[in-house]
Amino acid sequence: MELNELLERKSLAIDLAHRAGKIIKETSGNMKLVDKKCSFADLVTESDKAVEKMVFEEIGKKYPNDKFIGEESASDAQWTTDPTWIIDPIDGTTNFVHNFPFSCISIGFTFNREPCLGVVYNPHFDKLYTAIKGQGAKLSVGGGPPTKIHVRPCPSLNQALIVSELGSQRDEDKKECIFKNMESVGWACHGIRSLGSAALNICTVACGELDAFFEFGPYIWDICAGVVILREAGGHFCDTEGGPLDMQGRRFIAASSEKLALEIVPKLIVQLKLK
Ligand code: IPD
Ligand code: CA
């Protein structure tokens, strides 16, 4: 796809991210739960649904032939080589429900199944992360000019600050995988953090605030935008066993370098395959 077509889509994505952000910020902490998905900790609110509807409708007006994958209304859609928007209307829904200010909208776009545009917006801190494949990654804070972001060099795991999550599944296999791996990685690095949003965790690595993120559980809509942002910021994505990233595999390491990612691999002593 031509750069000008991606730039056009990026402008639309930024505009919609700001509109979505207004809804997210205004309703954070006072939105009724409408559903629970795989467990009592897997939450959905009216805002998740309203934001996704608004974003899909607006994109559909301008790009009627583009396809969609979205957490709330199009999670089963086939991911094809067509131009495809892959969107999480609110990533960090648990934070959103509790009004902990780390929720965002994540808008990814793929062509030929290659992630080529990513926009992540946290309205609570007015932070907008953007990237187009081959054009670098940028961060704009408080509506200011976008500035290039880059991962920070981290010489080894024993000097790294790592982020990971409990996630929202509540079964025994997942529990063992999460706690055994957190213990193993956590004891080998400076510390483990959890922001509660996969998209923001990735962006935090992309702008050099944390060194790596690993998780078993997130879906393609949680990571698609972040994949472009982190890669363009100089970072590395791989599967939790060190192979190539499977965007639909629901497990990954997102690190400031391949070297750091490969140091984390052997510490992930419980590997899960998720559907
Ligand atoms: C979740 C968040 C959370 C991560 C889960 C995701 P949601 O997405 O990104 O940090 O641990 O794996 O599913 O449900 O808030 O959109
Ligand atoms: Ca979500």
Side-chain angles (χ1 to χ4, degrees):
M1 179 169 280
E2 299 290 328
L3 180 58
N4 66 321
E5 293 180 79
L6 287 172
L7 286 167
E8 253 186 33
R9 282 176 172 80
K10 180 182 160 195
S11 299
L12 176 63
I14 290 174
D15 179 43
L16 293 173
H18 281 124
R19 285 173 63 179
K22 197 163 182 298
I23 303 174
I24 294 171
K25 197 170 172 191
E26 281 171 6
T27 58
S28 181
N30 50 43
M31 217 350 101
K32 274 201 317 287
L33 289 181
V34 289
D35 215 351
K36 295 189 178 96
K37 293 199 269 193
C38 73
S39 77
F40 73 91
D42 192 7
L43 314 176
V44 190
T45 71
E46 282 167 9
S47 292
D48 296 77
K49 292 178 188 283
V51 170
E52 183 160 307
K53 185 166 181 290
M54 182 277 286
V55 171
F56 279 15
E57 278 174 7
E58 292 303 315
I59 294 172
K61 283 183 199 161
K62 189 147 186 213
Y63 299 104
N65 297 322
D66 285 6
K67 303 289 189 302
F68 293 99
I69 296 177
E71 177 165 21
E72 306 308 335
S73 59
S75 60
D76 293 336
Q78 277 279 330
W79 184 33
T80 68
T81 53
D82 291 338
T84 304
W85 297 81
I86 302 185
I87 294 173
D88 189 350
I90 304 182
D91 186 51
T93 301
T94 306
N95 290 341
F96 170 79
V97 167
H98 291 269
N99 201 19
F100 181 61
F102 289 87
S103 53
C104 63
I105 177 164
S106 173
I107 302 178
F109 177 78
T110 66
F111 180 60
N112 280 335
R113 287 171 58 103
E114 184 61 40
C116 42
L117 164 64
V119 171
V120 170
Y121 181 54
N122 177 352
H124 307 285
F125 300 124
D126 201 357
K127 283 188 168 187
L128 178 74
Y129 305 86
T130 57
I132 284 181
K133 192 177 173 214
Q135 302 294 307
K138 292 178 184 159
L139 167 63
S140 155
V141 183
T147 51
K148 282 229 170 174
I149 53 172
H150 209 273
V151 295
R152 71 176 167 210
C154 176
S156 57
L157 181 57
N158 66 8
Q159 293 175 61
L161 191 58
I162 306 283
V163 59
S164 192
E165 298 285 337
L166 297 186
S168 47
Q169 264 174 269
R170 288 295 181 268
D171 53 77
E172 287 303 313
D173 285 356
K174 189 76 188 294
K175 181 176 167 186
E176 197 201 4
C177 170
I178 286 168
F179 287 106
K180 291 257 163 68
N181 290 335
M182 277 213 195
E183 179 183 342
S184 162
V185 176
W187 237 233
C189 68
H190 278 179
I192 297 265
R193 303 290 179 263
S194 292
L195 295 183
S197 154
L200 291 176
N201 287 339
I202 296 167
C203 290
T204 306
V205 177
C207 61
E209 293 169 348
L210 293 167
D211 300 298
F213 168 37
F214 71 88
E215 192 177 347
F216 292 79
Y219 292 87
I220 190 168
W221 47 81
D222 296 312
I223 65 164
C224 183
V227 166
V228 191
I229 293 167
L230 179 65
R231 284 179 175 159
E232 288 301 315
H236 179 76
F237 256 97
C238 63
D239 175 68
T240 52
E241 292 186 81
L245 171 72
D246 172 359
M247 293 274 292
Q248 295 176 301
R250 302 188 56 204
R251 47 184 235 170
F252 57 83
I253 301 170
S256 57
S257 68
E258 182 174 11
K259 181 179 171 290
L260 181 60
L262 295 179
E263 255 194 279
I264 294 170
V265 169
K267 301 287 177 199
L268 298 178
I269 51 181
V270 181
Q271 294 279 345
L272 265 192
K273 286 212 188 309
L274 296 159
K275 282 271 147 24

